[in-house]
Amino acid sequence: MFVQLTKEELLKEISRKAWYQTNNIIWMILFIYPLFSIVDFIFANSIWLQFFIVRIITDLVILALYSLFQRKNYNYRLLLHISLLLISVTSALLCNIVDIQQLNVYYLLYGAIFLFFNLMVFWEPINSVIQALLAMVLLAIFFTLFSNYTLDLVINNGGQFFFVIALISCFVPGARYKIIERDVRSQLLIGKSNEQLKEQNHDIAEKNNIIDAQYEQLRKLDNQKNNFINIAGHDLKNLTGSIIMSNNMLKDESYRLSSDQVELTGYISEASEKMQYLLNKLMDVKEIESPEMRFKLEVFDINAEVQHIFKGLIETAQMKNIHLVDNIQKSPINVNLDRVFVGQVFQNLLSNSIKFSQTNNNIRVVTSLQRQKFVFEVIDEGIPIGQDELAVMFNKLNALSEASEHTESRLGLGLSIAKLMTQEMGGDLSYRSDDHGNYFKVEFYVIN
């Protein structure tokens, strides 16, 4: 997080801080300055009343200027200059008209005023230098007009203290100004950082609320999905049971069937058993909630399984005038996999290819052995489905939003399931759709 601070923001905050310090100085002058008449009463009793009146008038003038400057929002530096100048006039005059015995007191008092002012004020050091020079000028003017003593006497009786204090105190505002300016900058940066953090926390809270709402929606959808699976699964199990029972009744009358009909009842029996196996897997809650799907591994000839799937889909392809080209190897290739799930992978890929392909088209089914891997390929050289649409089918487990008028509805669930099963059994499934058509490839490791 990077916080930027503009020059205008810094100057505005410095001005606000300077006015705060100016308020402190002015109000301290208004309350303390008249009390200096006590010193006058003690050390300059003959003139203390006149200077008490002068101090009161000075206070009233400073108060009026303070109210004006605040109301008009004038520069605080000018107010401080005028206030210190008014005090300097009185102090410089007293330093030149009192007796020589009291010079030390009034020069020290004048120096204390300068030191206090420079310790409290918040401005650039050049302003203090200007005030020190004005004080020297006032002392020189009043010395020329009113003093009855030589310069040496004045310097030796307190003048040196004032000059040293005034000189040293001029260095204080510079360091003070830098420190306060740095503090102001730090406070502004911290304030802006806090504001940014508040905004970010607010944004995070809003996003968390959105996530919670989406999670709740997903949880509801998940519950709906589970309810649907339970209902559909039980209904399908009942239908499958009816198919198996009806097929068994046909088998009991096999002597009345032709050889082709007997072969078809065998296909029906095998397909029904696979369907029942898959439904049992689906309905087993422990299997669904398990992080890894459990397979029933067995050694079998995978080429024979592909050939069996191929024959079972020939009639489906003929109904769309699609010609399936058999490039399946006849030599056995053994694998150690779940036969039902492997058959389901091949079934989904080939049936989806038939489903999405155009009429009067050829689809080639190729198997081979490459680098100790069994390779199953489906090659459709018809109109391409589209790489993006295939990606949705394989990765999203949802229907494509738009179906072409010339093709059937593309659900894509079968392809997603095929990919998931392949990966769970340690295989690899890839696909491609380009100007050459649609291509699907499955690889499984073989056993020696």
Side-chain angles (χ1 to χ4, degrees):
M1 180 178 64
F2 182 72
V3 180
Q4 290 184 332
L5 187 64
T6 64
K7 185 177 180 180
E8 291 75 15
E9 290 175 327
L10 180 61
L11 292 176
K12 182 179 179 181
E13 187 62 22
I14 287 176
S15 177
R16 191 186 67 81
K17 185 71 174 179
W19 264 110
Y20 174 78
Q21 293 297 117
T22 301
N23 292 337
N24 293 337
I25 293 171
I26 296 299
W27 283 107
M28 288 186 73
I29 289 173
L30 293 176
F31 283 108
I32 295 175
Y33 188 57
L35 298 179
F36 286 1
S37 294
I38 298 173
V39 178
D40 297 339
F41 182 78
I42 296 172
F43 295 100
N45 187 265
S46 60
I47 56 174
W48 80 271
L49 185 58
Q50 295 92 320
F51 276 90
F52 175 71
I53 296 171
V54 171
R55 294 183 194 279
I56 295 297
I57 293 172
T58 303
D59 257 18
L60 293 174
V61 171
I62 292 174
L63 180 60
L65 290 172
Y66 173 70
S67 301
L68 176 65
F69 273 65
Q70 274 203 322
R71 189 168 59 252
K72 299 293 185 179
N73 198 24
Y74 291 150
N75 193 307
Y76 70 95
R77 296 176 182 84
L78 184 57
L79 174 62
L80 292 173
H81 277 299
I82 295 173
S83 301
L84 185 55
L85 181 61
L86 292 173
I87 296 173
S88 291
V89 170
T90 305
S91 299
L93 181 58
L94 281 167
C95 286
N96 283 281
I97 64 174
V98 297
D99 294 337
I100 192 70
Q101 294 82 5
Q102 282 78 41
L103 281 181
N104 277 319
V105 174
Y106 280 94
Y107 270 114
L108 286 173
L109 187 61
Y110 195 8
I113 292 172
F114 245 87
L115 182 60
F116 158 77
F117 202 87
N118 284 323
L119 286 173
M120 291 289 293
V121 77
F122 177 50
W123 62 9
E124 297 80 1
I126 186 64
N127 296 282
S128 294
V129 174
I130 293 172
Q131 283 296 328
L133 292 175
L134 286 173
M136 302 298 180
V137 171
L138 289 172
L139 285 171
I141 292 173
F142 292 139
F143 175 80
T144 304
L145 294 175
F146 303 110
S147 181
N148 296 320
Y149 311 109
T150 63
L151 183 61
D152 291 341
L153 283 174
V154 172
I155 292 175
N156 292 329
N157 286 274
Q160 76 275 24
F161 297 125
F162 171 76
F163 296 137
V164 171
I165 293 172
L167 179 63
I168 293 175
S169 65
C170 287
F171 293 99
V172 176
R176 180 178 173 79
Y177 188 85
K178 290 180 180 178
I179 291 172
I180 295 180
E181 183 183 29
R182 185 181 61 190
D183 290 342
V184 168
R185 185 187 297 273
S186 300
Q187 289 172 4
L188 283 175
L189 291 174
I190 292 171
K192 294 191 74 172
S193 299
N194 289 336
E195 288 299 322
Q196 285 192 3
L197 288 174
K198 287 180 182 178
E199 291 177 2
Q200 290 177 356
N201 287 335
H202 181 70
D203 292 341
I204 291 172
E206 287 184 348
K207 291 177 180 178
N208 285 338
N209 291 334
I210 294 173
I211 291 172
D212 291 341
Q214 291 177 342
Y215 171 77
E216 184 63 23
Q217 185 178 4
L218 288 174
R219 190 183 63 81
K220 291 179 180 178
L221 291 174
D222 186 61
N223 290 335
Q224 293 176 2
K225 179 261 295 179
N226 290 335
N227 292 334
F228 172 77
I229 289 175
N230 289 331
I231 295 171
H234 283 99
D235 290 345
L236 288 173
K237 284 181 71 175
N238 293 333
L239 293 174
T240 305
S242 299
I243 293 172
I244 292 173
M245 183 178 65
S246 300
N247 191 57
N248 288 336
M249 292 175 64
L250 287 174
K251 283 183 177 180
D252 292 340
E253 303 290 333
S254 59
Y255 63 91
R256 298 171 58 183
L257 304 176
S258 65
S259 59
D260 290 339
Q261 291 173 333
V262 171
E263 185 178 2
L264 288 174
T265 57
Y267 281 130
I268 294 172
S269 178
E270 186 175 353
S272 301
E273 289 174 0
K274 286 183 179 180
M275 186 180 297
Q276 196 170 49
Y277 175 82
L278 291 173
L279 286 172
N280 288 333
K281 286 281 186 181
L282 180 66
M283 297 306 298
D284 190 344
V285 177
K286 292 181 180 179
E287 290 284 348
I288 294 173
E289 294 180 348
S290 176
E292 295 182 0
M293 191 178 293
R294 298 185 181 92
F295 297 104
K296 182 181 178 181
L297 301 180
E298 59 179 303
V299 177
F300 62 95
D301 177 12
I302 197 166
N303 270 331
E305 184 66 25
V306 174
Q307 189 71 48
H308 180 73
I309 299 297
F310 182 88
K311 289 181 178 179
L313 291 172
I314 289 177
E315 290 188 8
T316 304
Q318 289 175 349
M319 292 174 64
K320 289 189 63 175
N321 293 325
I322 292 174
H323 178 57
L324 294 181
V325 180
D326 182 356
N327 291 135
I328 303 169
Q329 280 190 351
K330 300 303 183 285
S331 57
I333 297 178
N334 291 329
V335 293
N336 186 25
L337 300 169
D338 189 307
R339 183 195 293 266
V340 175
F341 280 116
V342 167
Q344 191 66 33
V345 171
F346 300 150
Q347 175 90 16
N348 287 359
L349 289 176
L350 188 53
S351 62
N352 273 277
S353 295
I354 295 170
K355 184 178 181 180
F356 300 156
S357 188
Q358 301 76 38
T359 57
N360 302 318
N361 191 31
N362 293 335
I363 297 178
R364 289 194 296 129
V365 180
V366 183
T367 63
S368 59
L369 180 64
Q370 301 177 16
R371 297 184 298 277
Q372 293 299 309
K373 283 186 177 182
F374 167 78
V375 179
F376 169 82
E377 297 170 287
V378 177
I379 304 169
D380 177 7
E381 297 178 354
I383 298 174
I385 296 173
Q387 188 71 14
D388 292 338
E389 294 187 354
L390 278 182
V392 172
M393 290 181 179
F394 274 102
N395 297 315
K396 298 298 182 179
L397 281 172
N398 61 359
L400 292 174
S401 59
E402 296 181 1
S404 171
E405 294 179 358
H406 304 291
T407 58
E408 301 176 34
S409 177
R410 299 176 175 178
L411 294 179
L413 290 175
L415 300 180
S416 300
I417 294 171
K419 183 178 180 180
L420 176 63
M421 289 180 176
T422 302
Q423 292 174 343
E424 289 292 330
M425 290 186 288
D428 184 62
L429 191 154
S430 56
Y431 53 88
R432 185 180 69 247
S433 182
D434 50 29
D435 295 339
H436 301 291
N438 306 303
Y439 173 78
F440 306 93
K441 179 181 179 182
V442 178
E443 296 177 286
F444 287 114
Y445 282 100
V446 302
I447 60 175
N448 295 328

